[in-house]
Amino acid sequence: MAQEGFDGIELVVRTMAQTAVDNETYFSELDAVVGDGDFGYSLARGFEIVLATWDDLDRSDAATFLRKVAVIITSRVGGTSGPLWGTAFMRAAAAAGSDRIGAAEALAMLRAAITGIKERGQSDVGDKTLLDALVPAVDALEGYLAAGQGAASAVTAAAKVARASAEGTSSMLAKRGRAAYTGERSIGSPDAGAIGVAVMFEQLAGAWPG
Amino acid sequence: MKKFVNDPKDFVPEMLRGIALANPATLRYVPEYNLIMRADAPSENKVSIVQGSGSGHEPAHVMIVGKGMLDAACPGDVFSAPPMDYVLETTKLLNSPKGVLHIINNYTGDRMAFDMGREMAEAEGIRIGTVIVDDDVAVKDSTWTVGRRGVAGNFFVIKAIGAAAEKGAELDDLVALGNRVNAVSRTMGMALTSCTPPAKGSPLFDLGDDEMEMGVGIHGEPGRRREKLASANEIVDELLEAVASDLPFKKGDDVALMVNGLGGTPISELYLVYGRAHAQLTARGINVRRNYVGEYCTSLDMAGCSLTLVRLDEELSSLLEAPAEIPNRIF
């Protein structure tokens, strides 16, 4: 019998993958301003394999499924994005457990993913990375859920926070990643990874049932 | 630069296939994961010893796979870390009830691939230990590392761990042993010429005919400084001083001395270097108990050498003396 809540995991991963593939050019153009312009390309090369192998991915439980995704992303996405996004899936897998996945479990998985990204990238909020969209969005999600909102409206509200936070990275100085090499030149443009997270949240809000 | 090469992207697989064909009884080549392993590995009674790194450093590490040394080498492309999924698959293939030991040179790419490979493999229930080698005294941080780089001293870590593993040592003890050997090993290298990666087809960096790079890394990374070419004795003395003063090695110490060729230096020159280094150590009251002269950890076709000193004790000496059966042979 399938793990309860597994369909939610599938929806999140599928939406992330489709978003990465659909926005390859857009994400690369954003990255070209301050980084080396390969972010969209790299991300799409990994997530397109997730989509191509979608039906064959091991679905024994959420942890196994997410570990398979982690291996694909880590080994097929080039540069530092592969290990960072791969670690996010790996840590989420480790936090998934084998019981029903509800709001509390989903938040624990997101928190584990954030911790993994911070450790692997030796970075934190304020360094002008995807964390600057992901962390405020997850904080918001937790707040809305705690306040009793349903999943669909909580995700929609979190997506708005993700968008505002991602746009807010424009004024930041990049301290990590390839963009850090460009120093002051990074000010004035948003971080491609943060925008990527925001677009993924927005697509998820549109796709969430209810 | 003239090279034996077909399609540069097949360079590493073609080399691995050659090694496997030359050693059919003892080695197995797994092309899916770019992997060379002992044909009889893994063993239920022995920790599996795995080294991963970029290619281009042969005989390290694909040619020191064999009884008493590595159970598998998991190389990446030339000067590139192995992909994480290859690390994971190698670890799974080598899984033993006694565990798997990863030996890694301290480079950012290698460490990230192995950190992730380890985390994935542990999630599948495999016991893993890790030893990081960082014996290069030349620079503290580099374009490729946080902290010191791992270079030819790696050979001693592998040799000691391989011998102890063969005797049935446990995973935790092997990790402690590896850290202990790394802690008493010091190396510095220098380049007379650049190297030429097959995919690039031209020298990696420019070094004038009358120049040398002191403290060069094994991927041609910058060292301490570039200077006018000096005499062999002056070069040896500078390398030796940098290495000996770092631990420091003291009067009365017993040491192993390695003169390692970087790929493009003739054996004659390496022995000339060895002669000076040995005499200088003797003059300092340091006893050279074991010596290693030849190519151990190269940088493709770079001309140059590195000097490694390892402080010996009885246990380490006996582990270094223990027999091993590896494809790097002349008989």
Side-chain angles (χ1 to χ4, degrees):
Chain A
M1 199 183 111
Q3 189 175 3
E4 200 180 332
F6 188 81
D7 49 346
I9 302 285
E10 280 188 305
L11 180 65
V12 171
V13 175
R14 176 124 200 149
T15 304
M16 289 177 75
Q18 196 64 54
T19 306
V21 170
D22 291 347
N23 291 277
E24 176 180 341
T25 311
Y26 172 49
F27 291 161
S28 281
E29 282 167 1
L30 281 173
D31 186 43
V33 181
V34 290
D36 50 6
D38 65 352
F39 173 66
Y41 174 86
S42 300
L43 212 58
R45 294 295 78 77
F47 278 112
E48 73 188 4
I49 296 176
V50 173
L51 292 179
T53 56
W54 186 254
D55 291 335
D56 303 322
L57 291 171
D58 189 339
R59 285 174 168 71
S60 311
D61 55 23
T64 309
F65 176 75
L66 289 169
R67 272 206 297 274
K68 294 291 173 202
V69 174
V71 172
I72 295 172
I73 295 301
T74 310
S75 47
R76 298 294 162 252
V77 177
T80 46
S81 293
L84 290 175
W85 290 70
T87 297
F89 284 109
M90 209 154 88
R91 295 294 175 87
S98 50
D99 300 331
R100 173 181 177 275
I101 296 168
E105 290 74 18
L107 284 168
M109 290 164 71
L110 285 164
R111 293 288 177 203
I114 287 169
T115 304
I117 292 169
K118 286 181 180 179
E119 287 175 9
R120 190 76 65 202
Q122 299 288 297
S123 59
D124 211 330
V125 173
D127 290 346
K128 190 165 184 156
T129 68
L130 64 94
L131 288 168
D132 290 306
L134 184 58
V135 173
V138 171
D139 287 346
L141 188 64
E142 186 166 14
Y144 293 125
L145 288 169
Q149 286 204 27
S153 66
V155 171
T156 303
K160 291 201 174 82
V161 173
R163 169 58 66 175
S165 305
E167 302 287 355
T169 62
S170 287
S171 61
M172 293 179 173
L173 177 69
K175 296 188 189 126
R176 288 288 179 274
R178 199 56 66 98
Y181 301 160
T182 58
E184 299 279 339
R185 200 152 63 78
S186 67
I187 296 176
S189 306
D191 177 66
I195 295 286
V197 167
V199 179
M200 285 175 179
F201 259 101
E202 287 163 354
Q203 294 299 314
L204 191 61
W208 202 275
Chain B
M1 181 58 70
K2 296 175 206 167
K3 285 197 164 295
F4 290 107
V5 63
N6 299 307
D7 183 339
K9 84 176 180 307
D10 297 329
F11 186 81
V12 172
E14 287 178 353
M15 167 187 74
L16 297 180
R17 193 181 59 191
I19 292 171
L21 287 172
N23 299 275
T26 51
L27 297 184
R28 186 178 148 208
Y29 169 40
V30 184
E32 300 93 299
Y33 309 123
N34 217 39
L35 154 74
I36 292 276
M37 61 187 282
R38 274 173 71 169
D40 59 353
S43 158
E44 280 197 1
N45 307 313
K46 184 183 159 315
V47 174
S48 291
I49 314 299
V50 174
Q51 165 84 40
S53 72
S55 291
H57 308 304
E58 296 68 26
H61 300 93
V62 286
M63 294 189 68
I64 53 173
V65 176
K67 189 175 180 193
M69 291 196 78
L70 295 176
D71 291 282
C74 166
D77 210 339
V78 171
F79 296 170
S80 296
M84 182 282 267
D85 54 334
Y86 288 12
V87 174
L88 171 62
E89 296 301 336
T90 301
T91 305
K92 283 160 72 174
L93 266 175
L94 273 292
N95 188 15
S96 149
K98 294 195 68 159
V100 178
L101 178 60
H102 288 166
I103 303 177
I104 310 155
N105 285 335
N106 188 34
Y107 296 98
T108 305
D110 292 316
R111 293 199 56 172
M112 197 176 265
F114 273 85
D115 273 357
M116 298 201 64
R118 173 186 176 139
E119 207 170 314
M120 297 292 294
E122 282 176 342
E124 300 193 20
I126 301 176
R127 270 183 73 213
I128 297 171
T130 302
V131 171
I132 309 286
V133 180
D134 60 349
D135 56 311
D136 188 347
V137 305
V139 290
K140 191 180 165 296
D141 296 315
S142 76
T143 45
W144 288 58
T145 45
V146 176
R148 288 183 163 182
R149 304 175 295 212
V151 287
N154 172 281
F155 173 86
F156 296 96
V157 174
I158 293 173
K159 180 68 189 69
I161 285 177
E166 214 59 58
K167 292 193 235 170
E170 299 299 333
L171 182 61
D172 293 347
D173 298 330
L174 292 174
V175 170
L177 172 65
N179 289 334
R180 196 165 72 73
V181 178
N182 181 56
V184 295
S185 301
R186 294 291 187 276
T187 301
M188 189 156 108
M190 61 82 59
L192 297 170
T193 69
S194 174
C195 55
T196 298
K200 188 165 186 286
S202 58
L204 200 54
F205 60 98
D206 293 318
L207 197 56
D209 280 347
D210 58 344
E211 287 181 320
M212 60 181 184
E213 177 83 24
M214 293 301 286
V216 74
I218 54 173
H219 314 95
E221 316 98 286
R224 289 186 173 181
R225 65 183 182 282
R226 185 165 294 190
E227 58 190 73
K228 280 266 181 242
L229 183 60
S231 73
N233 284 355
E234 287 168 318
I235 293 170
V236 172
D237 292 356
E238 182 175 342
L239 290 177
L240 206 55
E241 174 55 28
V243 169
S245 64
D246 192 85
L247 190 58
F249 293 85
K250 297 198 204 74
K251 192 173 161 110
D253 280 351
D254 290 336
V255 300
L257 166 62
M258 173 184 278
V259 174
N260 168 56
L262 293 179
T265 289
I267 300 291
S268 51
E269 294 176 31
L270 295 180
Y271 274 96
L272 185 150
V273 166
Y274 178 79
R276 175 70 177 188
H278 185 123
Q280 290 296 98
L281 286 169
T282 304
R284 286 171 180 243
I286 295 172
N287 311 309
V288 180
R289 297 293 183 205
R290 300 190 62 78
N291 66 74
Y292 301 80
V293 186
E295 291 179 340
Y296 290 85
C297 183
T298 60
S299 184
L300 294 168
D301 54 355
M302 184 185 286
C305 72
S306 64
L307 293 190
T308 302
L309 288 180
V310 184
R311 188 164 65 206
L312 298 175
D313 54 38
E314 228 162 89
E315 185 200 5
L316 181 50
S317 292
S318 82
L319 291 170
L320 294 179
E321 265 170 35
E325 296 163 22
I326 58 171
N328 193 17
R329 56 183 154 78
I330 58 165
F331 41 84

